[in-house]
Structures are given as structure tokens and as C-alpha cells.
Amino acid sequence: MIRTVVRADADDIAAIYNHYIKNDIATFEEEPVTAADIERRISAVVPELPWLVYEDSGSIMGYAYASKWNPRSAYRYSVESTVYLKADVKGKGIGSQLYSALLQKLKAQNIRMVIGGISLPNAASQRLHEKFGYEKVAHFKEVGYKFGRWIDVGYWQLSIHESG
């Protein structure tokens, strides 16, 4: 089931995200987060923008949300999309379901542009974004340093604006 996040999800979300902080370059954060940190992040997004979770048998398997691309008012129709899954459920279509639901909600809110930043290499994330029509528009070399190495970041964008 995909639903809107609630405060009680913060512990599960922190556990999912902390796996990536400790073991992956998908995020450039290096210190684990707490449930309170996640609650603050949720409050910064909801209700203005969607934050969704995928729940199965009472357990959060993943989450996706949109955040402001830039706080300046002229950017109000552009957002950044984010998705994270429990490590053991990758490749089961949950990320696609979350992104599909997130994009539908953003389109209903008259968002025009959705931007996804991807630490590289990350073939799975690239495939997910490109599956939904995101196109690569930027590549920044060696902008992050984690696990003793320099990491590139690519940016993909998707127009969800209907012309006419």
C-alpha cells in the first residue's frame, strides 16, 4: 500500500536512510539520522509537497518525496524527487510504484519540472529515472567525497507540464 507519511513512520524511514548513509554513495550524508531528524524533514515538506511510503504488512519498505528545488519564489514549480528503499526489496518494482504515485501527485499540484540528483555510478537509479522519462541534463565531476573517494553527481529532469 502506498500512503502519505505519518510521524510514526519516522523510525522506519531513519533505519532505511541510515543504511545508505553507512553503506552507499546514494546520499552524501555521513552521520546517521534519528527519528527526530526525519520528523523535522517531513515537517519541512508536508503538507506543501508529497511524502509517500510503501507499506507492506505493517512495515515500511520504502519512501519517496519531493522537496523544493530552490527556496526562491520563481522556482516554486520545480521540485527535487527522492526515493529510498529497504536494501532487501530493491528490484521488486516498489521504487517504480512510489515514483509513479509521487509524479501523479506532483502533476495534480501543477508542478512543472521534477529534478533527480544521482550520485554516480548508480545504474539502478539511472534506470528508474529514465523509465519515467527523466533526461540527464548535467554531470558534476568529483563534487562529493565519501568513503575515501571522490564522487560524481548527475542531474536528470522531467517535465510533467501539459502543453496547451
Side-chain angles (χ1 to χ4, degrees):
M1 157 174 74
I2 295 176
R3 61 169 173 77
T4 299
V5 71
V6 295
R7 290 177 67 113
D9 298 327
D11 281 322
D12 288 338
I13 291 170
I16 291 168
Y17 190 53
N18 282 333
H19 166 80
Y20 291 92
I21 291 172
K22 295 173 191 172
N23 303 295
D24 203 295
I25 62 166
T27 178
F28 282 178
E29 289 196 63
E30 297 177 289
E31 297 299 323
V33 297
T34 65
D37 294 329
I38 296 297
E39 286 182 22
R40 282 190 289 280
R41 293 175 189 195
I42 291 168
S43 294
V45 168
V46 177
E48 185 178 352
L49 292 167
W51 185 314
L52 306 172
V53 296
Y54 185 102
E55 182 181 349
D56 185 16
S57 302
S59 181
I60 304 301
M61 299 292 145
Y63 62 96
Y65 65 94
S67 55
K68 290 181 181 182
W69 169 245
N70 188 299
R72 292 187 175 96
S73 63
Y75 290 107
R76 68 188 171 275
Y77 298 105
S78 297
V79 298
E80 184 170 4
S81 58
T82 301
V83 62
Y84 284 98
L85 304 175
K86 285 179 88 170
D88 61 347
V89 300
K90 289 181 183 178
K92 297 183 178 182
I94 294 172
S96 292
Q97 291 178 57
L98 280 164
Y99 249 24
S100 179
L102 181 68
L103 293 171
Q104 287 175 16
K105 289 191 175 293
L106 292 171
K107 192 172 188 176
Q109 288 183 238
N110 293 320
I111 296 298
R112 180 181 180 87
M113 197 64 62
V114 187
I115 300 161
I118 304 172
S119 305
L120 301 172
N122 187 338
S125 187
Q126 287 177 245
R127 278 192 306 275
L128 176 66
H129 285 83
E130 290 169 0
K131 174 182 178 177
F132 285 95
Y134 286 71
E135 294 180 36
K136 188 175 184 183
V137 294
H139 188 119
F140 299 109
K141 295 181 183 275
E142 299 181 348
V143 294
Y145 188 80
K146 188 174 179 182
F147 302 135
R149 65 184 174 111
W150 290 102
I151 302 162
D152 294 0
V153 174
Y155 279 91
W156 277 251
Q157 73 178 44
L158 172 67
S159 173
I160 57 174
H161 170 69
E162 291 186 20
S163 58

